[in-house]
Structures are given as structure tokens and as C-alpha cells.
Amino acid sequence: GQQLNQSPQSMFIQEGEDVSMNCTSSSIFNTWLWYKQDPGEGPVLLIALYKAGELTSNGRLTAQFGITRKDSFLNISASIPSDVGIYFCAGSGGFQGAQKLVFGQGTRLTINP
Amino acid sequence: DGGITQSPKYLFRKEGQNVTLSCEQNLNHDAMYWYRQDPGQGLRLIYYSQIVNDFQKGDIAEGYSVSREKKESFPLTVTSAQKNPTAFYLCASRPTGTGSSYEQYFGPGTRLTVT
């Protein structure tokens, strides 16, 4: 099945730094979702984007729905230790409708205190 | 508390045995999903169900089976035909209908180890 291209695959940063990651697709989507997964747990929804060009924030997190509907990015400002985990993007509502999500491979974030 | 529960958290089986993973939700969601996650990988869709008594194969359905007899429950059976069953299994659900979203909500996962 299709997968999104998510980058970078991993990031090693210092506490307090800003983080940026992105997802691209060859297909258009009507929805972009960003999830965070802690080790051994299920993914938790962080931000949902429904409109091309939309910029949405959730605390220190900001995500944007690309104007072409083929990409999205997630920024985390002033990182803290609890931001450690794997971040996944997911797209839906394109050629396959709303029933299924297509996931990126994930970005593993590690923070040095 | 509304949510999705998966049990058990850890499951160990011998090769050649079938095993059933439980997924229950009290969110009144119509759609439910099963994903498989391998180390360092993204999520791959095994099966999904939009409504009771109906389900569809995902991208990697071979060696798995499901049932959807109740809205709240979507159990996954990993059969002996699955060549590499050791993985982390995630269940998710999504509301459907007028005004519903594309957002899926995940359970805590079951880690299956087959030796």
C-alpha cells in the first residue's frame, strides 16, 4: 500500500531547541493528521488539518496543510524531555476516501538534556 | 471513561497456534481498524470494518482474520498461516456519518511474541 515520505527519520536535539519535520505525498489528501507515539503505547492524535493552507497550533506544536494538498509539516517549539517519541503523519480523504489513513514511516525524536 | 481497550498488553504464543487479540471501544464509533507495527516501521493496515457484520481487507490481511458481531468489539485472530506474527498490534476506531471526521483514535496496543 501507499506510504507517505516523512523526514527526517530521526532527530537528536538539545532541550529547548525547535523541531521541524515534514511529510510529502505523490497524491493529494483532504486531511492531514499528526500523531505522537510513546514507546510501547498507541499513537495519540496531536493535530488534525482539513483545509489546504491551514495553519493550526496545539500548545507548542504548529502544523500546516500544504497548499498543494500533497504535503504537511509539524513544528515543535522550545522542546522539552516529554516531547521524546515517534511522530507520525497520516493522510486521508484522497483517492481512497475517508475510510483509510496512509501513514508516514515516522520521525523519532531524541532530546539531550 | 470513553476509550479503546486492548487486552492483553503482552501475549506470548508458540509457533503453530492461533491467537486472538481483543479490541473493545465505548466511543460509539462505527468504524474500527487493525494495524501492525514492526520495529522502526510505520503502521500497516490489516483489516477494517465500517459497520457491524461487515469488514474489508487492508494491505496485509494474509494470515489474519476478524469478526464484527458487535459495534463495540473487533477481535483479530492471528492464524498459524501468518509467516511472521511477532509484532505490535494496534486497534483504532473512527466515528462515521454526517459531519464525522477522518480522525482515528488508537488503543494502547498488544505486543505479540511468537516463538
Side-chain angles (χ1 to χ4, degrees):
Chain A
Q2 180 188 5
Q3 282 199 314
L4 302 175
N5 297 314
Q6 186 171 350
S7 65
Q9 291 187 358
S10 61
M11 302 183 73
F12 299 86
I13 63 169
Q14 298 291 327
E15 184 177 350
E17 288 185 14
D18 297 343
V19 172
S20 184
M21 60 192 78
N22 68 81
C23 249
T24 60
S25 170
S26 57
S27 306
I28 62 172
F29 289 109
N30 293 333
T31 299
W32 283 95
L33 306 174
W34 285 93
Y35 289 88
K36 180 189 179 223
Q37 185 179 30
D38 290 329
E41 299 295 330
V44 173
L45 183 64
L46 299 173
I47 292 179
L49 302 159
Y50 287 98
K51 188 177 178 181
E54 178 183 358
L55 187 71
T56 297
S57 293
N58 178 7
R60 292 177 297 105
L61 279 61
T62 301
Q64 185 158 27
F65 192 143
I67 198 71
T68 65
R69 295 168 63 194
K70 292 184 179 181
D71 61 350
S72 177
F73 73 76
L74 175 71
N75 285 344
I76 306 173
S77 63
S79 59
I80 60 177
S82 61
D83 291 334
V84 166
I86 304 176
Y87 292 81
F88 290 101
C89 62
S92 183
F95 67 94
Q96 61 196 344
Q99 294 93 330
K100 297 192 286 185
L101 290 177
V102 179
F103 284 88
Q105 295 283 65
T107 295
R108 181 180 296 273
L109 179 62
T110 303
I111 297 176
N112 299 317
Chain B
D1 241 27
I4 303 173
T5 57
Q6 293 185 242
S7 60
K9 183 68 173 175
Y10 300 95
L11 193 52
F12 299 88
R13 281 292 183 271
K14 294 291 187 184
E15 192 173 325
Q17 293 179 336
N18 291 354
V19 58
T20 297
L21 281 60
S22 167
C23 178
E24 304 279 332
Q25 55 98 1
N26 60 4
L27 300 168
N28 200 32
H29 289 173
D30 288 304
M32 296 187 74
Y33 303 79
W34 274 106
Y35 293 90
R36 170 185 172 133
Q37 186 177 31
D38 294 287
Q41 302 287 321
L43 282 66
R44 293 186 290 170
L45 183 63
I46 304 173
Y47 268 98
Y48 64 105
S49 168
Q50 297 286 96
I51 197 168
V52 173
N53 292 322
D54 187 49
F55 48 82
Q56 287 79 42
K57 293 181 179 180
D59 300 318
I60 55 166
E62 186 175 349
Y64 299 98
S65 66
V66 294
S67 63
R68 187 83 188 276
E69 297 176 0
K70 297 187 299 182
K71 186 176 183 177
E72 302 80 18
S73 179
F74 191 39
L76 173 75
T77 297
V78 184
T79 75
S80 57
Q82 168 52 230
K83 296 289 185 250
N84 185 18
T86 295
F88 190 49
Y89 290 88
L90 288 158
C91 179
S93 70
R94 179 179 72 89
T96 61
T98 303
S100 61
S101 73
Y102 298 72
E103 300 161 20
Q104 293 183 19
Y105 297 89
F106 286 84
T110 291
R111 184 166 301 279
L112 173 65
T113 302
V114 177
T115 58

Coordinates of all heavy atoms in Angstrom, one line a residue, chain A residues 1-9 21-27 29 32 34 70-73 87-91 102-107:
Chain A
G1 N 0.8 -1.2 0.0 CA 0.0 0.0 0.0 C 0.9 1.3 0.0 O 2.0 1.2 0.3
Q2 N 0.2 2.4 -0.3 CA 1.0 3.6 -0.4 C 1.4 4.0 1.0 O 0.8 3.8 2.0 CB 0.1 4.7 -1.0 CG 0.7 6.0 -1.1 CD -0.3 7.1 -1.5 OE1 -1.4 6.9 -1.6 NE2 0.2 8.3 -1.7
Q3 N 2.6 4.7 1.1 CA 3.1 5.3 2.3 C 3.6 6.7 2.0 O 4.0 7.0 0.8 CB 4.2 4.5 2.9 CG 3.7 3.3 3.6 CD 4.7 2.7 4.6 OE1 5.8 2.6 4.3 NE2 4.2 2.4 5.8
L4 N 3.5 7.5 3.0 CA 4.0 8.9 2.8 C 5.5 9.0 3.1 O 6.0 8.1 3.8 CB 3.2 9.8 3.8 CG 1.7 9.8 3.7 CD1 1.1 10.6 4.8 CD2 1.3 10.3 2.3
N5 N 6.1 10.0 2.5 CA 7.5 10.2 2.7 C 7.7 11.2 3.8 O 7.4 12.4 3.7 CB 8.2 10.7 1.4 CG 8.1 9.7 0.3 OD1 8.4 8.5 0.5 ND2 7.8 10.2 -0.9
Q6 N 8.1 10.7 5.0 CA 8.3 11.5 6.1 C 9.8 11.7 6.4 O 10.5 10.8 6.4 CB 7.6 10.9 7.3 CG 7.6 11.7 8.6 CD 6.7 11.2 9.7 OE1 6.0 10.2 9.5 NE2 6.8 11.7 10.9
S7 N 10.2 13.0 6.7 CA 11.6 13.2 7.0 C 11.7 14.3 8.1 O 10.8 15.2 8.2 CB 12.3 13.6 5.8 OG 11.8 14.9 5.3
P8 N 12.8 14.3 8.9 CA 13.8 13.3 8.8 C 13.3 12.0 9.5 O 12.3 12.0 10.2 CB 14.9 13.9 9.6 CG 14.3 14.8 10.6 CD 13.1 15.3 9.9
Q9 N 14.1 10.9 9.4 CA 13.7 9.6 10.0 C 14.0 9.7 11.5 O 13.3 9.1 12.3 CB 14.5 8.5 9.4 CG 14.0 8.1 8.0 CD 14.7 6.9 7.5 OE1 15.5 6.3 8.2 NE2 14.3 6.5 6.3
M21 N 9.6 18.8 11.1 CA 9.5 17.6 10.3 C 8.4 17.8 9.3 O 7.5 18.6 9.5 CB 9.3 16.4 11.2 CG 8.0 16.5 12.0 SD 7.9 15.2 13.3 CE 8.9 15.9 14.6
N22 N 8.5 17.0 8.2 CA 7.5 17.1 7.2 C 7.2 15.8 6.5 O 7.9 14.8 6.7 CB 8.0 18.1 6.1 CG 9.2 17.6 5.3 OD1 9.0 16.9 4.4 ND2 10.4 18.0 5.7
C23 N 6.1 15.9 5.8 CA 5.6 14.7 5.1 C 5.2 15.1 3.7 O 4.6 16.2 3.5 CB 4.3 14.2 5.8 SG 4.5 12.6 6.6
T24 N 5.5 14.3 2.7 CA 5.1 14.6 1.3 C 4.5 13.3 0.7 O 4.8 12.2 1.1 CB 6.3 15.0 0.5 OG1 7.3 13.9 0.5 CG2 7.0 16.3 1.0
S25 N 3.7 13.6 -0.3 CA 2.9 12.5 -1.0 C 2.9 12.8 -2.5 O 2.9 14.0 -2.9 CB 1.5 12.4 -0.4 OG 0.7 11.6 -1.2
S26 N 2.8 11.8 -3.3 CA 2.5 12.0 -4.7 C 1.0 12.2 -5.0 O 0.7 12.6 -6.1 CB 3.1 10.8 -5.5 OG 2.5 9.6 -5.0
S27 N 0.2 11.9 -4.0 CA -1.2 12.0 -4.2 C -1.8 13.2 -3.3 O -1.1 13.5 -2.3 CB -2.0 10.8 -3.8 OG -1.4 9.6 -4.5
F29 N -4.4 14.9 -0.6 CA -5.3 14.4 0.5 C -6.2 15.6 0.9 O -5.9 16.7 0.7 CB -4.4 14.0 1.7 CG -3.6 12.7 1.5 CD1 -2.3 12.7 1.3 CD2 -4.3 11.5 1.5 CE1 -1.6 11.5 1.1 CE2 -3.6 10.3 1.3 CZ -2.3 10.4 1.1
W32 N -4.9 16.0 6.7 CA -3.6 15.6 7.3 C -3.7 15.5 8.8 O -4.3 16.4 9.4 CB -2.5 16.6 6.9 CG -2.0 16.5 5.5 CD1 -2.5 17.2 4.4 CD2 -1.0 15.7 5.0 NE1 -1.8 16.9 3.3 CE2 -0.9 15.9 3.6 CE3 -0.1 14.7 5.5 CZ2 0.0 15.3 2.8 CZ3 0.8 14.1 4.7 CH2 0.9 14.3 3.4
W34 N -1.5 14.5 12.5 CA -0.2 14.3 13.1 C -0.4 13.5 14.4 O -1.2 14.0 15.3 CB 0.6 15.6 13.3 CG 1.2 16.1 12.1 CD1 0.6 17.0 11.2 CD2 2.4 15.8 11.5 NE1 1.4 17.3 10.1 CE2 2.6 16.5 10.3 CE3 3.5 14.9 11.9 CZ2 3.7 16.4 9.5 CZ3 4.6 14.8 11.1 CH2 4.7 15.6 9.9
K70 N -0.4 18.1 -1.0 CA 0.4 16.9 -1.1 C 1.5 16.9 0.0 O 2.4 16.1 0.0 CB 1.1 16.9 -2.5 CG 0.2 16.6 -3.6 CD 0.9 16.5 -4.9 CE 0.0 16.2 -6.1 NZ 0.8 16.0 -7.3
D71 N 1.5 17.9 0.9 CA 2.5 17.9 2.0 C 1.9 18.6 3.2 O 0.9 19.3 3.2 CB 3.8 18.5 1.5 CG 3.6 20.0 1.1 OD1 2.4 20.4 1.0 OD2 4.6 20.7 0.9
S72 N 2.7 18.3 4.3 CA 2.3 18.9 5.6 C 3.6 19.0 6.4 O 4.5 18.1 6.3 CB 1.2 18.1 6.3 OG 0.9 18.6 7.6
F73 N 3.7 19.9 7.3 CA 4.8 19.9 8.3 C 4.3 20.1 9.7 O 3.2 20.6 9.9 CB 5.8 21.0 7.9 CG 5.4 22.4 8.1 CD1 5.4 22.9 9.4 CD2 5.0 23.2 7.1 CE1 5.1 24.2 9.6 CE2 4.6 24.5 7.3 CZ 4.7 25.1 8.6
Y87 N 6.9 10.6 15.9 CA 5.8 11.4 15.4 C 5.5 10.8 14.0 O 6.4 10.6 13.2 CB 6.3 12.8 15.3 CG 6.5 13.5 16.6 CD1 7.6 13.3 17.4 CD2 5.5 14.3 17.2 CE1 7.8 13.8 18.6 CE2 5.6 14.9 18.4 CZ 6.8 14.6 19.2 OH 6.9 15.2 20.4
F88 N 4.2 10.6 13.8 CA 3.7 10.1 12.5 C 2.8 11.1 11.9 O 1.9 11.7 12.5 CB 2.9 8.8 12.7 CG 3.7 7.6 13.1 CD1 3.8 7.2 14.4 CD2 4.4 6.9 12.2 CE1 4.5 6.1 14.8 CE2 5.2 5.8 12.5 CZ 5.2 5.4 13.9
C89 N 2.9 11.2 10.5 CA 1.9 12.0 9.8 C 1.0 10.9 9.1 O 1.4 9.8 9.0 CB 2.6 12.8 8.7 SG 3.5 11.9 7.5
A90 N -0.2 11.3 8.8 CA -1.1 10.5 8.2 C -2.0 11.3 7.3 O -2.4 12.4 7.6 CB -2.0 9.7 9.2
G91 N -2.4 10.8 6.1 CA -3.2 11.5 5.2 C -4.5 10.6 4.9 O -4.5 9.4 4.9
V102 N -3.3 6.8 5.3 CA -2.0 6.4 4.8 C -1.0 7.1 5.8 O -1.0 8.3 6.1 CB -1.7 6.9 3.4 CG1 -0.3 6.6 2.9 CG2 -2.8 6.4 2.5
F103 N 0.0 6.3 6.3 CA 0.9 6.7 7.3 C 2.3 7.0 6.8 O 2.8 6.2 5.8 CB 1.0 5.7 8.5 CG -0.2 5.8 9.4 CD1 -1.3 5.0 9.1 CD2 -0.2 6.6 10.5 CE1 -2.4 5.0 10.0 CE2 -1.3 6.6 11.4 CZ -2.4 5.9 11.1
G104 N 3.0 7.9 7.3 CA 4.5 8.1 7.1 C 5.2 7.1 8.0 O 4.6 6.4 8.8
Q105 N 6.5 7.0 7.7 CA 7.3 6.0 8.4 C 7.7 6.4 9.8 O 8.2 5.7 10.7 CB 8.6 5.7 7.7 CG 8.4 5.1 6.3 CD 8.2 3.6 6.5 OE1 7.1 3.2 7.0 NE2 9.0 2.8 6.0
G106 N 7.4 7.7 10.1 CA 7.7 8.2 11.5 C 9.0 9.0 11.6 O 10.0 8.7 10.9
T107 N 9.0 9.9 12.5 CA 10.3 10.7 12.9 C 10.5 10.4 14.4 O 9.7 10.8 15.2 CB 10.1 12.2 12.6 OG1 9.9 12.4 11.2 CG2 11.3 12.9 13.1

